[in-house]
Coordinates of all heavy atoms in Angstrom, one line a residue:
M1 N -2.4 26.4 -54.6 CA -1.2 25.7 -54.2 C -0.5 25.0 -55.4 O -1.2 24.5 -56.3 CB -1.4 24.6 -53.2 CG -0.2 24.0 -52.6 SD -0.6 22.9 -51.2 CE -1.4 23.8 -50.1
S2 N 0.8 25.2 -55.5 CA 1.5 24.6 -56.6 C 1.4 22.9 -56.6 O 1.3 22.4 -55.5 CB 3.0 25.0 -56.7 OG 3.6 24.4 -55.6
K3 N 1.3 22.4 -57.6 CA 1.2 20.9 -57.9 C 2.3 20.3 -57.2 O 3.5 20.7 -57.5 CB 1.0 20.4 -59.2 CG 0.8 19.1 -59.4 CD 0.6 18.7 -60.9 CE 0.3 17.1 -60.9 NZ 0.7 16.6 -62.2
D4 N 2.2 19.3 -56.3 CA 3.2 18.5 -55.7 C 4.2 19.5 -55.0 O 5.4 19.2 -54.8 CB 3.9 17.7 -56.7 CG 3.0 16.6 -57.2 OD1 2.1 16.1 -56.5 OD2 3.1 16.5 -58.4
G5 N 3.8 20.7 -54.5 CA 4.7 21.5 -53.8 C 4.1 22.1 -52.6 O 3.1 21.6 -52.0
A6 N 4.7 23.1 -51.9 CA 4.4 23.6 -50.8 C 3.9 25.2 -50.9 O 4.3 25.7 -51.8 CB 5.6 23.5 -49.7
R7 N 3.1 25.5 -50.0 CA 2.8 27.0 -50.0 C 3.3 27.6 -48.7 O 3.0 27.0 -47.6 CB 1.2 27.1 -50.2 CG 0.8 28.5 -50.1 CD -0.6 28.8 -50.2 NE -0.9 28.7 -51.7 CZ -2.0 29.0 -52.3 NH1 -3.0 29.3 -51.6 NH2 -2.1 29.0 -53.5
I8 N 4.0 28.6 -48.8 CA 4.5 29.2 -47.6 C 3.8 30.6 -47.5 O 3.9 31.5 -48.4 CB 6.0 29.4 -47.7 CG1 6.8 28.1 -47.9 CG2 6.6 30.2 -46.5 CD1 8.2 28.1 -48.3
T9 N 3.2 30.9 -46.3 CA 2.5 32.1 -46.0 C 3.0 32.8 -45.0 O 2.9 32.3 -43.8 CB 1.0 31.8 -45.7 OG1 0.5 31.0 -47.0 CG2 0.2 33.1 -45.7
P10 N 3.6 34.1 -45.0 CA 4.0 34.9 -43.9 C 2.7 35.3 -43.2 O 2.0 36.2 -43.9 CB 4.8 35.9 -44.4 CG 5.0 35.7 -45.8 CD 3.9 34.7 -46.4
Y11 N 2.4 35.0 -42.1 CA 1.3 35.5 -41.4 C 1.5 36.8 -40.7 O 2.6 37.1 -40.1 CB 0.8 34.5 -40.3 CG -0.3 33.5 -40.9 CD1 -0.1 32.7 -42.0 CD2 -1.6 33.7 -40.3 CE1 -1.1 32.0 -42.5 CE2 -2.7 32.8 -40.9 CZ -2.4 32.0 -42.0 OH -3.3 31.2 -42.4
R12 N 0.6 37.7 -40.9 CA 0.8 39.1 -40.3 C 1.2 39.0 -38.8 O 0.4 38.3 -38.0 CB -0.4 39.9 -40.6 CG -0.2 41.4 -40.2 CD -1.4 42.2 -40.8 NE -1.5 42.2 -42.2 CZ -2.4 41.5 -43.0 NH1 -3.3 40.9 -42.5 NH2 -2.2 41.6 -44.3
D13 N 2.3 39.6 -38.3 CA 2.7 39.6 -37.0 C 2.8 38.2 -36.4 O 2.8 38.0 -35.3 CB 1.7 40.4 -36.2 CG 1.4 41.7 -36.6 OD1 2.3 42.4 -37.3 OD2 0.3 42.3 -36.4
G14 N 3.1 37.2 -37.2 CA 3.3 35.9 -36.8 C 4.2 35.0 -37.6 O 5.1 35.6 -38.2
P15 N 4.1 33.7 -37.6 CA 5.0 32.9 -38.2 C 4.9 32.7 -39.7 O 3.9 33.3 -40.3 CB 4.7 31.6 -37.5 CG 3.2 31.6 -37.2 CD 3.0 33.0 -36.8
L16 N 5.7 31.9 -40.3 CA 5.6 31.4 -41.6 C 4.9 30.1 -41.6 O 5.4 29.1 -41.1 CB 7.0 31.2 -42.3 CG 7.9 32.4 -42.3 CD1 9.3 32.0 -42.8 CD2 7.4 33.4 -43.3
L17 N 3.7 30.0 -42.3 CA 3.0 28.8 -42.3 C 3.4 28.0 -43.6 O 3.3 28.6 -44.7 CB 1.4 29.1 -42.3 CG 0.8 28.5 -41.0 CD1 1.4 29.4 -39.9 CD2 -0.6 28.5 -41.0
V18 N 3.7 26.8 -43.4 CA 4.2 26.0 -44.6 C 3.1 24.8 -44.7 O 2.9 24.1 -43.7 CB 5.6 25.4 -44.4 CG1 6.1 24.6 -45.6 CG2 6.5 26.4 -44.1
R19 N 2.4 24.8 -45.8 CA 1.6 23.7 -46.0 C 1.9 23.0 -47.3 O 2.4 23.5 -48.3 CB 0.1 24.4 -46.3 CG -0.3 25.2 -45.2 CD -1.8 25.6 -45.6 NE -2.4 26.3 -44.4 CZ -2.5 27.7 -44.4 NH1 -1.9 28.5 -45.3 NH2 -3.1 28.2 -43.4
G20 N 1.5 21.7 -47.3 CA 1.6 21.0 -48.6 C 2.7 19.9 -48.5 O 2.9 19.3 -47.4
D21 N 3.3 19.7 -49.7 CA 4.2 18.6 -49.8 C 5.7 19.2 -49.6 O 6.1 19.7 -50.6 CB 4.1 17.9 -51.1 CG 4.9 16.6 -51.2 OD1 5.4 16.1 -50.2 OD2 5.1 16.2 -52.4
F22 N 6.2 19.1 -48.5 CA 7.6 19.7 -48.2 C 8.4 18.6 -47.4 O 7.9 17.7 -46.9 CB 7.4 21.0 -47.5 CG 6.9 20.9 -46.1 CD1 7.6 20.5 -45.1 CD2 5.5 21.0 -45.8 CE1 7.0 20.4 -43.7 CE2 4.9 21.0 -44.7 CZ 5.7 20.6 -43.6
E23 N 9.7 18.9 -47.6 CA 10.6 18.2 -46.8 C 11.5 19.3 -45.9 O 11.9 20.2 -46.4 CB 11.6 17.4 -47.7 CG 12.6 16.7 -47.0 CD 13.7 15.9 -47.9 OE1 13.8 16.5 -49.1 OE2 14.3 15.0 -47.6
M24 N 11.7 18.9 -44.6 CA 12.5 19.9 -43.8 C 13.7 19.1 -43.5 O 13.7 17.9 -43.0 CB 11.6 20.2 -42.6 CG 12.3 21.4 -41.8 SD 11.1 22.0 -40.7 CE 12.1 23.2 -39.8
V25 N 14.9 19.9 -43.6 CA 16.2 19.2 -43.3 C 17.0 20.3 -42.6 O 16.7 21.4 -42.7 CB 17.0 18.8 -44.6 CG1 16.2 17.6 -45.3 CG2 17.3 19.9 -45.6
D26 N 18.1 19.8 -41.9 CA 18.9 20.7 -41.2 C 20.1 21.1 -42.2 O 20.0 20.7 -43.4 CB 19.5 20.2 -40.0 CG 20.5 19.0 -40.1 OD1 20.9 18.8 -41.2 OD2 20.8 18.4 -39.1
Q27 N 20.9 22.0 -41.8 CA 22.0 22.5 -42.8 C 22.8 21.4 -43.3 O 23.5 21.5 -44.3 CB 22.7 23.6 -42.3 CG 23.7 23.4 -41.2 CD 24.3 24.6 -40.6 OE1 23.7 25.7 -40.7 NE2 25.5 24.5 -40.2
D28 N 22.8 20.2 -42.7 CA 23.7 19.1 -43.2 C 22.9 18.1 -44.0 O 23.4 17.2 -44.4 CB 24.3 18.4 -41.9 CG 25.1 19.2 -41.1 OD1 26.0 20.0 -41.8 OD2 25.2 19.2 -39.9
G29 N 21.7 18.5 -44.2 CA 20.8 17.7 -45.0 C 20.0 16.5 -44.2 O 19.3 15.8 -44.9
A30 N 20.2 16.5 -42.9 CA 19.6 15.5 -42.1 C 18.1 15.8 -42.0 O 17.7 17.0 -41.8 CB 20.1 15.3 -40.8
A31 N 17.2 14.9 -42.1 CA 15.7 15.2 -42.1 C 15.3 15.6 -40.7 O 15.8 15.0 -39.7 CB 14.9 13.9 -42.3
I32 N 14.5 16.7 -40.7 CA 13.7 17.0 -39.5 C 12.3 16.6 -39.6 O 11.6 17.1 -40.5 CB 13.9 18.6 -39.3 CG1 15.3 19.0 -39.1 CG2 13.0 19.0 -38.1 CD1 15.5 20.6 -39.2
E33 N 12.0 15.6 -38.7 CA 10.6 15.1 -38.8 C 9.7 16.0 -38.2 O 9.8 16.5 -37.1 CB 10.5 13.7 -38.2 CG 11.5 12.6 -38.8 CD 11.0 12.5 -40.2 OE1 9.8 12.5 -40.6 OE2 11.8 12.0 -41.1
T34 N 8.7 16.4 -39.0 CA 7.6 17.3 -38.4 C 6.4 16.5 -38.2 O 5.5 16.9 -37.2 CB 7.2 18.4 -39.5 OG1 6.7 17.9 -40.6 CG2 8.5 19.2 -39.8
G35 N 6.1 15.5 -38.8 CA 4.9 14.6 -38.7 C 3.6 15.4 -39.0 O 2.5 14.9 -38.6
R36 N 3.8 16.4 -39.8 CA 2.5 17.3 -40.1 C 2.6 17.7 -41.6 O 3.6 17.9 -42.1 CB 2.5 18.5 -39.2 CG 2.4 18.2 -37.8 CD 2.5 19.5 -37.0 NE 2.3 19.1 -35.6 CZ 1.4 19.8 -34.8 NH1 0.6 20.7 -35.3 NH2 1.2 19.4 -33.6
K37 N 1.4 18.0 -42.0 CA 1.3 18.6 -43.4 C 1.3 20.1 -43.3 O 1.5 20.8 -44.5 CB 0.0 18.1 -44.1 CG 0.1 16.8 -44.6 CD 0.9 16.8 -45.8 CE 0.6 15.6 -46.7 NZ 1.4 15.5 -47.9
T38 N 1.2 20.6 -42.2 CA 1.2 22.1 -42.0 C 2.1 22.4 -40.8 O 1.7 21.8 -39.7 CB -0.2 22.7 -41.8 OG1 -1.0 22.4 -42.9 CG2 -0.1 24.2 -41.5
I39 N 3.0 23.3 -40.9 CA 3.8 23.6 -39.9 C 3.9 25.3 -39.7 O 3.8 25.9 -40.8 CB 5.3 23.0 -39.8 CG1 6.0 23.5 -41.1 CG2 5.2 21.5 -39.7 CD1 7.4 23.1 -41.2
A40 N 4.4 25.7 -38.6 CA 4.5 27.1 -38.4 C 6.0 27.4 -38.0 O 6.5 26.8 -37.0 CB 3.6 27.7 -37.3
L41 N 6.7 28.1 -38.8 CA 8.2 28.4 -38.5 C 8.3 29.9 -38.0 O 7.7 30.8 -38.4 CB 8.9 28.3 -39.9 CG 9.0 26.9 -40.5 CD1 9.7 27.1 -41.8 CD2 9.6 26.0 -39.7
C42 N 9.0 29.9 -36.9 CA 9.3 31.2 -36.2 C 9.9 32.2 -37.2 O 10.9 31.8 -37.8 CB 10.0 31.0 -34.9 SG 10.5 32.4 -34.1
R43 N 9.5 33.3 -37.1 CA 10.2 34.4 -37.8 C 10.5 35.6 -36.9 O 11.0 36.7 -37.3 CB 9.6 34.8 -39.2 CG 8.3 35.5 -39.0 CD 7.9 36.0 -40.4 NE 6.5 36.6 -40.5 CZ 6.2 37.6 -41.2 NH1 7.0 38.1 -42.0 NH2 4.9 38.1 -41.1
C44 N 10.1 35.5 -35.6 CA 10.4 36.6 -34.7 C 11.6 36.4 -33.9 O 12.1 37.3 -33.4 CB 9.2 36.7 -33.7 SG 9.2 35.5 -32.4
G45 N 12.1 35.2 -34.0 CA 13.4 34.8 -33.3 C 13.2 34.6 -31.8 O 14.3 34.3 -31.1
R46 N 12.1 34.5 -31.3 CA 11.8 34.4 -29.8 C 11.4 33.0 -29.4 O 11.3 32.7 -28.2 CB 11.0 35.4 -29.3 CG 11.4 36.9 -29.6 CD 12.7 37.3 -29.0 NE 12.6 37.4 -27.5 CZ 12.2 38.3 -26.9 NH1 12.0 39.6 -27.4 NH2 12.1 38.4 -25.6
S47 N 11.1 32.1 -30.3 CA 10.5 30.8 -30.0 C 11.5 30.0 -29.1 O 12.7 30.0 -29.5 CB 10.2 30.1 -31.2 OG 9.7 28.7 -30.9
R48 N 11.0 29.2 -28.3 CA 11.9 28.3 -27.4 C 12.1 27.0 -28.2 O 12.7 26.1 -27.7 CB 11.4 28.2 -26.1 CG 11.6 29.3 -25.2 CD 10.6 29.5 -24.1 NE 9.3 29.6 -24.7 CZ 8.1 29.7 -23.9 NH1 8.1 29.6 -22.6 NH2 7.0 29.9 -24.6
I49 N 11.2 26.7 -29.3 CA 11.3 25.5 -30.0 C 11.7 25.7 -31.4 O 11.2 25.0 -32.3 CB 10.0 24.7 -29.8 CG1 8.8 25.5 -30.4 CG2 9.8 24.3 -28.4 CD1 7.5 24.8 -30.6
K50 N 12.6 26.7 -31.6 CA 13.1 26.9 -33.1 C 13.5 25.7 -33.8 O 14.1 24.9 -33.2 CB 14.2 28.0 -33.0 CG 13.9 29.3 -32.6 CD 15.1 30.2 -32.6 CE 15.0 31.4 -31.9 NZ 15.2 31.4 -30.5
P51 N 13.2 25.6 -35.0 CA 12.7 26.6 -35.9 C 11.1 26.6 -36.0 O 10.6 27.5 -36.8 CB 13.2 26.1 -37.2 CG 13.1 24.6 -37.2 CD 13.5 24.4 -35.8
F52 N 10.4 26.0 -35.0 CA 9.0 26.2 -35.0 C 8.6 27.3 -34.1 O 9.2 27.6 -33.1 CB 8.4 24.8 -34.6 CG 8.9 23.6 -35.3 CD1 10.0 22.8 -34.9 CD2 8.4 23.4 -36.6 CE1 10.4 21.7 -35.6 CE2 8.9 22.3 -37.4 CZ 9.9 21.5 -36.8
C53 N 7.4 27.8 -34.4 CA 6.7 28.8 -33.6 C 6.1 28.2 -32.5 O 5.5 27.1 -32.6 CB 5.7 29.4 -34.5 SG 4.6 30.6 -33.7
D54 N 6.3 28.9 -31.3 CA 5.6 28.3 -30.0 C 4.5 29.4 -29.5 O 4.1 29.2 -28.5 CB 6.6 28.0 -29.0 CG 7.3 29.2 -28.5 OD1 7.1 30.3 -29.0 OD2 8.1 29.0 -27.5
G55 N 4.3 30.5 -30.4 CA 3.3 31.4 -30.0 C 3.9 32.6 -29.2 O 3.2 33.6 -28.8
T56 N 5.1 32.6 -28.9 CA 5.9 33.6 -28.2 C 5.7 35.0 -28.9 O 5.7 36.1 -28.2 CB 7.3 33.3 -27.9 OG1 7.3 32.1 -27.1 CG2 8.0 34.4 -27.1
H57 N 5.6 35.0 -30.2 CA 5.5 36.4 -30.9 C 4.4 37.2 -30.5 O 4.5 38.3 -30.5 CB 5.4 36.0 -32.4 CG 4.2 35.3 -32.8 ND1 4.1 33.8 -32.8 CD2 2.9 35.7 -33.1 CE1 2.9 33.5 -33.2 NE2 2.1 34.5 -33.4
K58 N 3.3 36.5 -29.9 CA 2.1 37.3 -29.4 C 2.5 38.1 -28.2 O 2.1 39.2 -28.1 CB 1.0 36.4 -29.1 CG 0.4 35.6 -30.3 CD -0.7 34.7 -30.0 CE -1.0 33.8 -31.1 NZ -1.8 32.6 -30.8
A59 N 3.2 37.4 -27.2 CA 3.5 38.1 -26.0 C 4.6 39.1 -26.2 O 4.7 40.1 -25.4 CB 4.1 37.0 -25.0
T60 N 5.5 39.0 -27.2 CA 6.5 40.0 -27.4 C 6.1 41.1 -28.3 O 6.9 42.0 -28.5 CB 7.8 39.2 -28.0 OG1 7.4 38.7 -29.3 CG2 8.3 38.2 -27.0
G61 N 4.9 41.1 -28.9 CA 4.4 42.2 -29.8 C 5.1 42.3 -31.2 O 5.3 43.3 -31.7
F62 N 5.6 41.1 -31.5 CA 6.2 41.0 -32.9 C 5.3 41.7 -34.0 O 4.2 41.3 -34.0 CB 6.6 39.5 -33.3 CG 7.2 39.4 -34.6 CD1 8.3 39.9 -35.0 CD2 6.5 38.7 -35.6 CE1 9.0 39.7 -36.3 CE2 7.0 38.5 -36.9 CZ 8.2 39.0 -37.2
R63 N 5.9 42.4 -34.8 CA 5.2 43.0 -35.9 C 5.8 42.9 -37.3 O 7.0 43.1 -37.3 CB 5.1 44.6 -35.7 CG 4.2 44.9 -34.5 CD 2.7 44.8 -34.7 NE 1.9 45.0 -33.6 CZ 1.4 44.2 -32.8 NH1 1.6 42.8 -33.0 NH2 0.6 44.4 -31.8
A64 N 5.0 42.4 -38.2 CA 5.7 42.2 -39.5 C 4.4 42.1 -40.5 O 3.4 41.5 -40.1 CB 6.5 41.0 -39.7
G65 N 4.6 42.5 -41.6 CA 3.5 42.4 -42.6 C 3.4 41.0 -43.2 O 4.3 40.2 -42.8
S66 N 2.4 40.8 -44.0 CA 2.3 39.4 -44.7 C 3.0 39.4 -46.0 O 3.3 38.3 -46.4 CB 0.8 39.2 -44.9 OG 0.5 37.9 -45.4
G67 N 3.2 40.5 -46.5 CA 4.0 40.6 -47.8 C 5.4 41.0 -47.6 O 5.9 41.0 -46.4
P68 N 6.2 41.2 -48.6 CA 7.5 41.6 -48.7 C 7.7 42.8 -47.8 O 6.9 43.7 -47.9 CB 8.1 41.7 -50.0 CG 7.1 40.9 -50.9 CD 5.8 41.0 -50.1
A69 N 8.7 43.1 -47.0 CA 8.9 44.3 -46.3 C 9.0 45.5 -47.3 O 9.5 45.4 -48.4 CB 10.3 44.3 -45.6
G70 N 8.3 46.6 -46.9 CA 8.2 47.7 -47.7 C 7.1 47.7 -48.9 O 7.0 48.5 -49.7
S71 N 6.4 46.6 -48.8 CA 5.4 46.5 -49.9 C 4.0 47.0 -49.6 O 3.1 47.0 -50.5 CB 5.2 45.0 -50.3 OG 4.6 44.2 -49.1
G72 N 3.9 47.6 -48.4 CA 2.6 48.3 -48.1 C 2.4 48.2 -46.6 O 3.2 47.7 -45.9
P73 N 1.2 48.5 -46.3 CA 0.9 48.5 -44.8 C 0.8 47.0 -44.2 O 0.5 46.2 -44.9 CB -0.7 49.0 -44.8 CG -1.1 49.3 -46.1 CD 0.2 48.9 -47.0
A74 N 1.2 47.0 -43.0 CA 1.3 45.6 -42.3 C -0.2 45.2 -42.1 O -1.1 46.0 -42.0 CB 2.1 45.7 -41.0
Ligands
FES1 S1 6.9 33.7 -34.8 FE1 5.8 32.6 -33.4 S2 7.3 32.4 -31.8 FE2 8.4 33.4 -33.3

């Protein structure tokens, strides 16, 4: 993990996990309180609590690799 920074991990077939020292804000710069050191951000588009993951990706069969698209097998 980078010093004083965050680590973002795209989980295979799941959310983006954000760990470490981060700040989350809306597009107007207003703070979004997470109250956590680790959060999961939806990348399937189906969560009912966006921008956070609520686990819906499992029921919908969302598929995505852990690396950049086209970088290898998922
Ligand atoms: S990635 Fe989990 S609900 Fe979208």
